[in-house]
Amino acid sequence: MSKPHRPPSGRTNLASCIVATIFLIFLVIIILIVFFTVFKPKDPKISVNSVQLPSFSVSNNSVNFTFSQYVSVKNPNRAVFSHFDSTLQLLYSGSQIGFMFIPAGKIDAGRTQYMAATFAVESFPLSASPDAVVNVGPAFNDGGFGGGGQTGFNNGYRVGPTMEIESRIHMAGRVRVLHIFTHHLETKVGCRVVIAVSDGSVLGFHC
């Protein structure tokens, strides 16, 4: 006659629970490692490629011009970057002389999007004394405007009075990691732009 089957002991159930718990903890650790190495949200990278003044005029010690800036924005994430509430601000001697909103949009994962912004700057007075004569040459290019891959000069020559403006780009948005987690991202870039007062040519910029 066969012996009756005994139900699992309490020790067996406890051991099974411990093994299952260890496995779940290990699985969570693996998921976190993958998330923070592969899917960790990163701020987009803005590179200023060019600054131009299509029109420029000086009259009665006041200046007005059209400002154009060309940038590339790289989305380093493995998810689409949706940007909004982004702005471009232009300053001279600490005062705002131009402002515009950057239209909302999306940048696909790992892609780079090229953007252009052009707007007219209303007439504003030049400072009492424009910057002195600038020697544009190799010394000007090393560690100054044109450094870090920005525009610079190789031929040494001297230019007349100059003015300096500053552009500030602020871009904000979000990414949805694994279509579940939403992260807010933002990035900023500021550039100093040197302009020849005589003809409005852009002598160089550094961001």
Coordinates of all heavy atoms in Angstrom, one line a residue, residues 34-46 73-83 106-113 171-179 181-187:
V34 N 20.9 48.7 -17.8 CA 20.7 49.0 -19.2 C 20.1 50.3 -19.3 O 20.4 51.1 -20.3 CB 19.7 47.9 -19.7 CG1 19.2 48.2 -21.1 CG2 20.4 46.5 -19.7
F35 N 19.2 50.7 -18.4 CA 18.5 52.0 -18.6 C 19.5 53.2 -18.5 O 19.5 54.1 -19.3 CB 17.4 52.2 -17.5 CG 16.8 53.5 -17.5 CD1 15.8 53.8 -18.4 CD2 17.1 54.5 -16.5 CE1 15.2 55.1 -18.4 CE2 16.5 55.7 -16.5 CZ 15.5 56.0 -17.4
F36 N 20.4 53.1 -17.5 CA 21.3 54.2 -17.2 C 22.5 54.2 -18.2 O 23.3 55.2 -18.2 CB 21.8 54.2 -15.8 CG 20.8 54.7 -14.8 CD1 20.1 53.8 -13.9 CD2 20.5 56.0 -14.7 CE1 19.2 54.3 -13.0 CE2 19.5 56.5 -13.8 CZ 18.9 55.7 -13.0
T37 N 22.7 53.1 -18.9 CA 23.9 53.1 -19.8 C 23.4 53.3 -21.3 O 24.1 54.0 -22.1 CB 24.6 51.8 -19.8 OG1 23.7 50.7 -20.0 CG2 25.3 51.6 -18.4
V38 N 22.2 52.8 -21.6 CA 21.7 52.9 -23.0 C 20.6 53.9 -23.1 O 20.7 54.7 -24.1 CB 21.2 51.5 -23.4 CG1 20.7 51.6 -24.9 CG2 22.3 50.5 -23.4
F39 N 19.7 54.0 -22.2 CA 18.5 54.8 -22.4 C 18.5 56.0 -21.5 O 17.5 56.8 -21.4 CB 17.2 54.0 -22.1 CG 17.0 52.9 -23.1 CD1 17.3 51.6 -22.7 CD2 16.5 53.1 -24.3 CE1 17.1 50.5 -23.6 CE2 16.3 52.1 -25.2 CZ 16.6 50.8 -24.9
K40 N 19.6 56.3 -20.8 CA 19.7 57.5 -19.9 C 19.5 58.7 -20.7 O 20.2 59.0 -21.7 CB 21.0 57.5 -19.2 CG 21.1 58.7 -18.3 CD 22.5 58.8 -17.6 CE 22.6 60.0 -16.6 NZ 23.9 60.0 -16.0
P41 N 18.5 59.6 -20.4 CA 18.2 60.8 -21.2 C 19.4 61.8 -21.1 O 20.1 61.9 -20.1 CB 17.0 61.4 -20.4 CG 16.4 60.3 -19.7 CD 17.5 59.4 -19.3
K42 N 19.8 62.3 -22.3 CA 20.9 63.3 -22.4 C 20.3 64.5 -23.1 O 19.5 64.5 -24.0 CB 22.0 62.7 -23.3 CG 22.5 61.3 -22.8 CD 23.6 60.8 -23.8 CE 24.1 59.4 -23.3 NZ 23.0 58.4 -23.5
D43 N 20.9 65.7 -22.6 CA 20.5 67.0 -23.2 C 20.9 67.1 -24.6 O 22.0 66.6 -25.0 CB 21.1 68.1 -22.4 CG 20.5 68.2 -21.0 OD1 19.3 67.9 -20.8 OD2 21.2 68.7 -20.1
P44 N 20.1 67.7 -25.5 CA 20.5 67.8 -26.9 C 21.7 68.8 -27.0 O 22.0 69.6 -26.1 CB 19.3 68.5 -27.5 CG 18.5 69.1 -26.4 CD 18.8 68.2 -25.2
K45 N 22.5 68.7 -28.1 CA 23.6 69.5 -28.3 C 23.4 70.5 -29.4 O 23.0 70.1 -30.5 CB 24.8 68.6 -28.7 CG 25.1 67.4 -27.7 CD 25.5 67.9 -26.3 CE 25.8 66.8 -25.4 NZ 26.1 67.3 -24.0
I46 N 23.6 71.7 -29.1 CA 23.4 72.8 -30.1 C 24.8 73.3 -30.6 O 25.7 73.6 -29.8 CB 22.7 74.0 -29.5 CG1 21.3 73.5 -29.0 CG2 22.5 75.1 -30.6 CD1 20.5 74.6 -28.3
V73 N 21.1 71.0 -34.3 CA 20.7 70.4 -33.0 C 20.7 68.9 -33.1 O 20.0 68.3 -33.9 CB 19.3 70.9 -32.5 CG1 19.0 70.4 -31.1 CG2 19.2 72.4 -32.6
K74 N 21.6 68.3 -32.3 CA 21.7 66.8 -32.3 C 21.0 66.2 -31.1 O 21.1 66.7 -30.0 CB 23.2 66.4 -32.3 CG 23.4 64.9 -32.3 CD 24.8 64.5 -32.3 CE 25.0 63.0 -32.2 NZ 24.3 62.3 -33.3
N75 N 20.1 65.2 -31.4 CA 19.4 64.5 -30.3 C 20.2 63.2 -30.1 O 20.1 62.3 -30.9 CB 18.0 64.2 -30.8 CG 17.3 63.3 -29.8 OD1 17.7 63.2 -28.6 ND2 16.2 62.7 -30.2
P76 N 20.9 63.1 -29.0 CA 21.7 61.9 -28.7 C 21.0 60.8 -28.1 O 21.5 59.7 -27.7 CB 22.8 62.5 -27.7 CG 22.1 63.5 -26.9 CD 21.1 64.1 -27.9
N77 N 19.7 61.0 -27.9 CA 18.9 60.0 -27.2 C 18.3 58.9 -28.1 O 18.3 59.1 -29.3 CB 17.7 60.7 -26.5 CG 18.1 61.6 -25.4 OD1 18.5 61.2 -24.3 ND2 18.0 62.9 -25.7
R78 N 17.9 57.8 -27.5 CA 17.3 56.7 -28.3 C 15.8 56.8 -28.4 O 15.1 55.8 -28.5 CB 17.7 55.3 -27.7 CG 19.2 55.1 -27.8 CD 19.5 53.7 -27.2 NE 20.9 53.4 -27.4 CZ 21.4 52.7 -28.4 NH1 20.6 52.2 -29.3 NH2 22.7 52.4 -28.5
A79 N 15.3 58.1 -28.2 CA 13.9 58.4 -28.3 C 13.7 59.7 -29.0 O 14.7 60.5 -29.0 CB 13.3 58.3 -26.9
V80 N 12.6 60.0 -29.5 CA 12.3 61.3 -30.1 C 12.4 62.4 -29.1 O 11.8 62.3 -28.0 CB 10.9 61.2 -30.8 CG1 10.6 62.6 -31.4 CG2 10.9 60.2 -31.9
F81 N 13.0 63.5 -29.5 CA 13.1 64.7 -28.6 C 12.0 65.7 -29.2 O 12.1 66.1 -30.3 CB 14.5 65.3 -28.7 CG 14.6 66.6 -28.0 CD1 14.3 66.8 -26.6 CD2 14.9 67.8 -28.7 CE1 14.4 68.0 -26.0 CE2 15.0 69.0 -28.1 CZ 14.7 69.1 -26.7
S82 N 11.0 66.0 -28.4 CA 10.0 67.0 -28.7 C 10.4 68.3 -28.0 O 10.4 68.4 -26.8 CB 8.6 66.5 -28.3 OG 8.3 65.3 -28.9
H83 N 10.6 69.3 -28.8 CA 11.0 70.6 -28.2 C 9.9 71.7 -28.3 O 9.1 71.7 -29.3 CB 12.3 71.1 -28.8 CG 12.3 71.4 -30.3 ND1 11.8 72.6 -30.8 CD2 12.6 70.6 -31.4 CE1 11.9 72.5 -32.2 NE2 12.3 71.3 -32.5
K106 N 10.0 68.2 -33.6 CA 10.5 67.0 -33.1 C 11.8 66.6 -33.8 O 11.9 66.9 -35.0 CB 9.5 65.8 -33.3 CG 8.2 66.0 -32.4 CD 7.3 64.8 -32.6 CE 6.0 65.0 -31.8 NZ 5.1 63.8 -32.0
I107 N 12.7 66.0 -33.1 CA 14.0 65.5 -33.7 C 14.1 64.0 -33.4 O 14.0 63.6 -32.2 CB 15.2 66.2 -33.1 CG1 15.0 67.7 -33.3 CG2 16.5 65.7 -33.8 CD1 16.2 68.5 -32.7
D108 N 14.2 63.2 -34.4 CA 14.2 61.8 -34.3 C 15.4 61.3 -33.5 O 16.4 62.0 -33.4 CB 14.2 61.1 -35.6 CG 12.9 61.2 -36.4 OD1 11.9 61.5 -35.7 OD2 12.9 61.2 -37.6
A109 N 15.3 60.1 -32.9 CA 16.4 59.6 -32.1 C 17.7 59.5 -32.9 O 17.8 59.0 -34.0 CB 16.0 58.2 -31.6
G110 N 18.8 60.0 -32.3 CA 20.1 60.0 -32.9 C 20.3 60.8 -34.1 O 21.3 60.7 -34.8
R111 N 19.4 61.7 -34.4 CA 19.4 62.5 -35.6 C 19.8 64.0 -35.3 O 19.7 64.4 -34.2 CB 18.1 62.5 -36.4 CG 17.6 61.1 -36.8 CD 18.6 60.5 -37.8 NE 18.7 61.2 -39.0 CZ 17.9 61.0 -40.1 NH1 17.0 60.1 -40.0 NH2 18.1 61.7 -41.2
T112 N 20.3 64.7 -36.4 CA 20.6 66.1 -36.2 C 19.7 66.9 -37.1 O 19.5 66.5 -38.3 CB 22.1 66.3 -36.6 OG1 23.0 65.6 -35.8 CG2 22.5 67.8 -36.6
Q113 N 19.2 67.9 -36.6 CA 18.3 68.8 -37.3 C 18.9 70.2 -37.5 O 19.5 70.7 -36.6 CB 16.9 68.9 -36.6 CG 15.9 69.8 -37.4 CD 14.5 69.7 -36.8 OE1 14.1 68.6 -36.4 NE2 13.9 70.8 -36.6
M171 N 16.7 76.0 -25.5 CA 15.8 75.0 -26.1 C 15.4 74.0 -25.0 O 16.2 73.5 -24.2 CB 16.5 74.2 -27.2 CG 15.6 73.2 -27.9 SD 16.4 72.6 -29.4 CE 16.1 74.0 -30.5
A172 N 14.1 73.8 -24.8 CA 13.5 72.9 -23.8 C 12.6 72.0 -24.5 O 12.0 72.2 -25.5 CB 12.8 73.7 -22.8
G173 N 12.5 70.8 -23.9 CA 11.6 69.8 -24.5 C 11.6 68.5 -23.6 O 11.9 68.6 -22.4
R174 N 11.2 67.4 -24.2 CA 11.1 66.2 -23.4 C 11.3 65.0 -24.3 O 11.2 65.0 -25.6 CB 9.7 66.0 -22.7 CG 8.6 66.0 -23.7 CD 7.3 65.7 -23.0 NE 6.1 65.7 -23.9 CZ 5.3 66.8 -24.1 NH1 5.6 67.9 -23.4 NH2 4.3 66.7 -24.9
V175 N 11.7 63.9 -23.7 CA 11.8 62.6 -24.4 C 11.0 61.5 -23.5 O 10.9 61.7 -22.3 CB 13.3 62.1 -24.5 CG1 14.0 63.0 -25.5 CG2 14.0 62.0 -23.2
R176 N 10.5 60.5 -24.2 CA 9.8 59.5 -23.5 C 10.6 58.2 -23.7 O 10.7 57.6 -24.9 CB 8.4 59.3 -24.1 CG 7.4 60.5 -23.8 CD 6.0 60.1 -24.2 NE 5.5 59.1 -23.3 CZ 4.3 58.5 -23.5 NH1 3.5 58.9 -24.5 NH2 3.9 57.6 -22.7
V177 N 11.2 57.7 -22.7 CA 12.1 56.6 -22.7 C 11.2 55.3 -22.6 O 10.4 55.2 -21.7 CB 13.1 56.6 -21.6 CG1 14.0 55.3 -21.6 CG2 13.9 57.8 -21.6
L178 N 11.4 54.4 -23.6 CA 10.6 53.1 -23.7 C 9.1 53.4 -23.7 O 8.3 52.5 -23.3 CB 11.0 52.2 -22.5 CG 12.5 51.9 -22.3 CD1 12.7 51.0 -21.1 CD2 12.9 51.1 -23.5
H179 N 8.8 54.6 -24.2 CA 7.3 55.0 -24.3 C 6.6 55.0 -22.9 O 5.4 54.9 -22.9 CB 6.6 54.1 -25.3 CG 7.2 54.1 -26.6 ND1 7.0 55.1 -27.5 CD2 8.0 53.1 -27.3 CE1 7.6 54.8 -28.7 NE2 8.2 53.6 -28.5
F181 N 8.6 56.4 -19.6 CA 9.1 57.4 -18.7 C 9.3 58.7 -19.5 O 10.0 58.7 -20.5 CB 10.4 57.0 -18.1 CG 10.3 55.6 -17.4 CD1 10.8 54.5 -17.9 CD2 9.7 55.5 -16.1 CE1 10.8 53.3 -17.3 CE2 9.6 54.3 -15.5 CZ 10.1 53.2 -16.1
T182 N 8.8 59.8 -19.0 CA 8.9 61.1 -19.6 C 10.0 61.9 -18.9 O 9.9 62.1 -17.6 CB 7.6 61.9 -19.7 OG1 6.7 61.1 -20.4 CG2 7.8 63.2 -20.3
H183 N 11.0 62.5 -19.6 CA 12.0 63.3 -19.0 C 12.1 64.6 -19.6 O 12.0 64.7 -20.8 CB 13.4 62.6 -19.1 CG 13.5 61.3 -18.3 ND1 13.9 61.3 -17.0 CD2 13.2 60.0 -18.6 CE1 13.9 60.0 -16.6 NE2 13.4 59.2 -17.5
H184 N 12.2 65.7 -18.8 CA 12.3 67.0 -19.3 C 13.8 67.3 -19.5 O 14.6 67.1 -18.7 CB 11.7 68.0 -18.3 CG 11.9 69.5 -18.7 ND1 11.0 70.1 -19.6 CD2 12.8 70.4 -18.4 CE1 11.3 71.3 -19.8 NE2 12.4 71.5 -19.1
L185 N 14.1 67.9 -20.7 CA 15.4 68.2 -21.1 C 15.5 69.6 -21.5 O 14.5 70.2 -22.0 CB 15.9 67.3 -22.2 CG 15.9 65.8 -22.0 CD1 16.3 65.1 -23.3 CD2 16.8 65.4 -20.9
E186 N 16.7 70.3 -21.4 CA 16.9 71.6 -21.9 C 18.4 71.8 -22.1 O 19.2 71.2 -21.5 CB 16.3 72.7 -20.9 CG 16.9 72.8 -19.6 CD 16.3 73.9 -18.7 OE1 16.7 75.1 -18.9 OE2 15.4 73.6 -17.9
T187 N 18.7 72.7 -23.0 CA 20.1 73.1 -23.3 C 20.1 74.6 -23.7 O 19.1 75.1 -24.1 CB 20.6 72.2 -24.4 OG1 22.0 72.5 -24.6 CG2 19.9 72.5 -25.7

